[in-house]
């Protein structure tokens, strides 16, 4: 019998989460959570792993994603659940986000170069694996290179909203996201 406990807002290492889907699965089982949703930022790349987790542990996964948008120059996150992940409109939107995140990462890397913290896009992609690149992936590459001691230092000095290498995310109208979901 599946537990009635649920968690419908979980980020994995496929976006800005700290733990892999497998590590999260172990924690879900430990906590008795029977229904969950991986809602990574602008990607559904963790959903295949979520299906495997469900089969292995008898859990229920609701397909999810957290899209980033802006309303009146304020960042807003829109959660989408239960969509058809094979829908062409969903996949076009996700591909757009993937490409835009890659472009943003390259702009951040250019700024890091100016601060004598060179990273290649390949080093960052190694951290992201097949997921859309997020700032935590850049932070992890910085740690590996010895540029910063920990994640928080990378964000405080370079990658955070007030960091010297910050790059704003791209803009997409909320209504576009609503229509796709």
């Amino acid at each position: 019998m599946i537990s009635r406990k649920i968690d419908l807002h979980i980020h994995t290492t496929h976006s800005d989460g700290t733990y892999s889907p497998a590590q999260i699965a172990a924690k879900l089982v430990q906590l008795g959570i029977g229904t969950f949703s991986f809602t990574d930022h602008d990607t559904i790349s963790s959903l295949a792993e979520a299906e495997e987790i469900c089969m292995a542990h008898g859990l229920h996964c609701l397909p999810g994603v957290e899209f980033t948008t802006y309303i009146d120059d304020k960042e807003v996150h829109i959660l989408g659940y239960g969509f058809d992940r094979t829908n062409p409109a969903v996949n076009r939107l996700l591909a757009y986000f993937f490409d835009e995140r890659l472009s943003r990462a390259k702009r951040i890397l250019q700024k890091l170069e100016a601060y004598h913290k060179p990273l290649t896009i390949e080093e960052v992609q190694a951290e992201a694996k097949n997921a859309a690149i997020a700032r935590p992936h850049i932070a992890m590459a910085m740690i590996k290179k010895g540029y910063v001691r920990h994640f928080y230092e990378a964000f405080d000095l370079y990658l955070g909203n007030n960091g010297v290498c910050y790059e704003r995310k791209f803009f997409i109208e909320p209504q576009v996201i609503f229509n796709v979901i």
Side-chain angles (χ1 to χ4, degrees), residues 67-70 93 96-97 170-177:
F67 287 112
T68 307
T69 187
Y70 287 87
L93 184 60
Y96 176 77
F97 273 98
F170 52 94
F171 174 81
I172 191 165
E173 291 286 335
Q175 193 60 48
V176 172
I177 295 170

Side-chain angles (χ1 to χ4, degrees), residues 11-161:
H11 295 274
T12 74
T13 51
H14 287 251
S15 69
D16 63 349
T18 305
Y19 301 105
S20 71
Q23 291 170 314
I24 293 169
K27 195 67 158 171
L28 293 171
V29 170
Q30 179 185 4
L31 294 172
I33 295 173
T35 301
F36 70 97
S37 184
F38 290 153
T39 52
D40 287 312
H41 290 281
D42 309 321
T43 182
I44 59 172
S45 61
S46 63
L47 292 185
E49 288 180 71
E51 289 174 355
E52 292 173 17
I53 288 165
C54 289
M55 288 192 295
H57 299 286
L59 303 173
H60 177 260
C61 178
L62 181 64
V65 65
E66 184 170 352
F67 287 112
T68 307
T69 187
Y70 287 87
I71 298 175
D72 296 330
D73 207 37
K74 299 233 189 256
E75 187 172 307
V76 176
H77 298 171
I78 299 170
L79 292 160
Y81 297 103
F83 51 86
D84 175 5
R85 70 183 214 199
T86 65
N87 180 301
V90 169
N91 287 301
R92 278 192 302 274
L93 184 60
L94 291 168
Y96 176 77
F97 273 98
F98 187 92
D99 292 345
E100 289 297 325
R101 283 181 169 273
L102 179 61
S103 295
R104 179 187 188 207
K106 288 177 179 177
R107 292 190 308 273
I108 292 171
L109 296 184
Q110 287 176 338
K111 288 183 175 184
L112 283 169
E113 177 91 29
Y115 284 92
H116 309 289
K117 308 285 187 254
L119 291 172
T120 66
I121 195 66
E122 291 79 16
E123 289 169 316
V124 175
Q125 286 172 322
E127 296 300 321
K129 299 186 180 41
N130 293 324
I133 294 174
R135 289 180 294 170
H137 301 128
I138 298 171
M140 292 308 295
M142 292 178 74
I143 292 167
K144 281 189 176 173
K145 289 280 255 210
Y147 297 151
V148 292
R149 291 171 302 208
H150 50 75
F151 184 84
Y152 299 106
E153 184 179 358
F155 271 80
D156 288 344
L157 298 177
Y158 301 99
L159 306 174
N161 292 3

